[in-house]
Amino acid sequence: MIKDPEIFLHDLLQSALEAADPIKSVPPNLPKRSKGRTIVIGAGKASAAMAKAVEQSWPDVAMEGLVVTRYGYAVLTEKIEIIEASHPVPDDAGEIACKRIMGLIQGLTEDDLVLALISGGGSALLSLPAPCLSAHEKRALNKALLKSGATIYEMNCVRKHLSAVKAGQLALIAHPARVVTLIVSDVPGDDPHTVASGPTLPDNSTQAEALAVIEKYNIEISQAVRDWLGNPENETPKPNDPRFLSTEVKIVSRAQDSLLAAASYATSCGVEAVILGDSIEGEARAVAHEHVKLALDYLENPPVVLLSGGETTVTIKGGGKGGRNTEYALAAVMAGSSHKQIYGLACDTDGIDGSEDNAGAIFTPDTLMNAKQLDIDPASHLEKNDSYNFFKSAGGLVVTGPTFTNVNDFRAILVL
């Protein structure tokens, strides 16, 4: 029995976050200990928590290392240094950390172990441009990709081919050491080569594909970048490179784990749980309309909650504030405006939706009425991509603070 739908939705989110907690998921997946040195490196929003989990599991192992995470996502560690840098647009701190990581893994032997802790956000945090472009140009390109509506696979394809460390290049620096990569996956389909642009894993994409993405979204690049992408000598390392024979990879947390945990919690509360998928993509507002439409089929048979993960996109046309989850929530509010049985929540599991201070938003059958009383026009806010300010005024912003994990979006549509 659900006494408070909003509390229930928050509890679903908490169940999803607990299932993706690196402190729980990293220890069972640690590799055999090294005969030689142990170097821990990493990048991403979950990387600091992952590093803490390593230290707690291996208190008697002599190790050193450095991981780079988003500002505000550092945790207290003793042996592994944590550096904070900018996300989603890279800054100098990330570049300095990248160079230091490269220095740590040079000159190793076959007896040494490099433990790479990789999670979503690592593409921006572990940023060192290829020789064809400056740091300033790299940031401008990153901003253009973020605004374009490109999928995470498309964005990371470009990032891989314009980086000095992504697409397996860190593993080649560490060779002949054993490189074991543990991943908290934030990408639809959980392709480990895509998470943080695969700095320790070989690349299946090509320069031609990267250039095709740039042209598809009409992103301006210099002739130097175009020449770089046209030179076969600059192609990223591929799976047939023998230097990858001493590498391993394990995904320790993924969206499906979180959805299953949330579904289990819902069932324990007497609510039927339907998982729509863990790798849903598409424009946020279009996905929201589809999910509300599916929810309408359950109006005669409540209670039920529709759960989904993945990563939607937003093609930015207005000058407002808000990420893909608040945009999804606003579009869902409008799609379900005439139904008093529909509630919903959409949040990014890393605690930050876009570039604001909220993880996402929650909506109820009263959300539109609250907006009307305050003379807030939801259609205008959606048109301007201003979902953050809509929910800030009408109520419904979900603020979790740093979650220290990242398995992408978590969405729940509740029918009572």
Side-chain angles (χ1 to χ4, degrees), residues 307-342:
L307 302 171
S308 63
E311 183 173 34
T312 60
T313 54
V314 174
T315 302
I316 298 175
K317 298 179 180 178
K321 296 181 178 181
R324 58 184 182 265
N325 286 288
T326 45
E327 178 138 333
Y328 171 99
L330 178 53
V333 165
M334 296 174 65
S337 60
S338 61
H339 301 281
K340 302 303 181 183
Q341 296 171 250
I342 296 179

Side-chain angles (χ1 to χ4, degrees), residues 266-310:
T267 301
S268 73
C269 296
V271 178
E272 179 186 359
V274 178
I275 296 178
L276 301 178
D278 66 345
S279 56
I280 293 174
E281 298 179 276
E283 279 287 326
R285 61 183 70 183
V287 174
H289 277 265
E290 180 61 27
H291 287 181
V292 171
K293 182 179 178 182
L294 291 172
L296 299 182
D297 293 336
Y298 292 91
L299 289 177
E300 303 299 323
N301 297 287
V304 62
V305 63
L306 307 183
L307 302 171
S308 63

